Amino acid sequence: MIGQYTKGYGTSYTPSVAPTQQASGFTPTQAMGAAAVTGLISGIGAAYAQQAQGYYQQAGYAVQAQEALRMAGLRADKAVEYGEAAFKRNLMKIEYETLNYKIQANNQLKNLRATNAAILARGYASGVVATGGSYAGVRGANVREVYQDVGISDLNAMTARILGLEDATTMLQQSYDMAFYEREAAIANAGTLLKSGGFASKTGGLLAGAELAKAGTNFAMTYPKNPE
């Protein structure tokens, strides 16, 4: 029966729905097929999103690695810069110390000349030959003592130069070593970050493949065999 007529003031027609068709215009089989297709599309979208997440993580790790290398380079350069500046300051300090010892030695010799000249003057003023006798002995003793002191000053100057250069060179080498290890650590860290990014990308691909497989399985199970 397609419809029903009713009698009254006018004639009207009320259509009836076929028993195998819903009000939306789709049969149950067609509705199942549409739902299966929608689920498949949703699964494909989730798979691409998962893969994109892996790529995003990989890019993030790459940025971190690049930034780590950049900062390590800056720290290494600063370490070398400070080390070289300290080395120059130490060299100046060594020169000042050596100069002070030289000045000390020169003052000792100056005082020796003045002392011996005063001895000679007193001897000649007393009417004796000041170049011999006890006067000469006193002057000779002064010379020996002063030259011993001058030798010690020269030795101190040489020691200060040698030890100072050794310390300055050691500090400079430490700054170079620090810069080297800083860069090597950054390179190792960057390699680890890049590997983590690669793992993240592979994991995203695997998860995306799992999402696609799941979507395909669900589609195969839910899509009607004979859609009408």
Side-chain angles (χ1 to χ4, degrees):
M1 178 175 168
I2 304 303
Q4 182 178 6
Y5 286 95
T6 59
K7 294 182 179 180
Y9 295 101
T11 301
S12 63
Y13 175 75
T14 302
S16 61
V17 179
T20 60
Q21 188 175 11
Q22 298 178 346
S24 60
F26 291 100
T27 64
T29 303
Q30 292 173 339
M32 290 177 60
V37 172
T38 302
L40 178 62
I41 294 174
S42 177
I44 294 173
Y48 278 113
Q50 190 67 54
Q51 191 171 26
Q53 180 67 22
Y55 290 146
Y56 177 78
Q57 291 179 354
Q58 184 181 28
Y61 282 120
V63 171
Q64 291 181 33
Q66 183 179 5
E67 187 65 16
L69 288 174
R70 187 182 71 85
M71 294 302 298
L74 291 177
R75 288 192 294 269
D77 292 341
K78 286 298 180 182
V80 172
E81 181 180 347
Y82 294 152
E84 291 177 347
F87 179 75
K88 292 178 181 179
R89 289 195 300 268
N90 288 330
L91 289 182
M92 293 179 64
K93 181 180 178 181
I94 293 169
E95 292 299 325
Y96 289 146
E97 289 182 355
T98 303
L99 181 60
N100 287 332
Y101 285 121
K102 289 181 178 179
I103 293 173
Q104 182 181 356
N106 290 331
N107 289 333
Q108 290 169 345
L109 293 175
K110 181 180 178 181
N111 293 333
L112 172 64
R113 288 192 294 268
T115 300
N116 285 344
I119 292 173
L120 285 174
R122 285 196 300 270
Y124 286 123
S126 300
V128 299
V129 179
T131 56
S134 60
Y135 287 97
V138 172
R139 290 173 54 243
N142 290 337
V143 170
R144 287 193 299 272
E145 291 178 359
V146 169
Y147 270 90
Q148 286 179 357
D149 294 338
V150 170
I152 293 174
S153 296
D154 289 340
L155 179 62
N156 289 336
M158 182 178 65
T159 303
R161 178 177 292 275
I162 294 174
L163 295 180
L165 285 174
E166 183 179 354
D167 293 340
T169 304
T170 300
M171 293 178 61
L172 182 61
Q173 185 62 44
Q174 287 177 349
S175 68
Y176 289 151
D177 291 342
M178 184 182 301
F180 172 77
Y181 291 126
E182 185 73 34
R183 287 193 173 94
E184 288 298 314
I187 292 173
N189 185 36
T192 301
L193 289 173
L194 291 177
K195 287 182 180 178
S196 299
F199 291 149
S201 177
K202 291 180 180 179
T203 302
L206 292 175
L207 293 176
E211 287 286 346
L212 286 175
K214 180 181 177 181
T217 302
N218 291 336
F219 177 78
M221 293 176 63
T222 57
Y223 191 77
K225 301 300 181 180
N226 297 313
E228 295 180 357

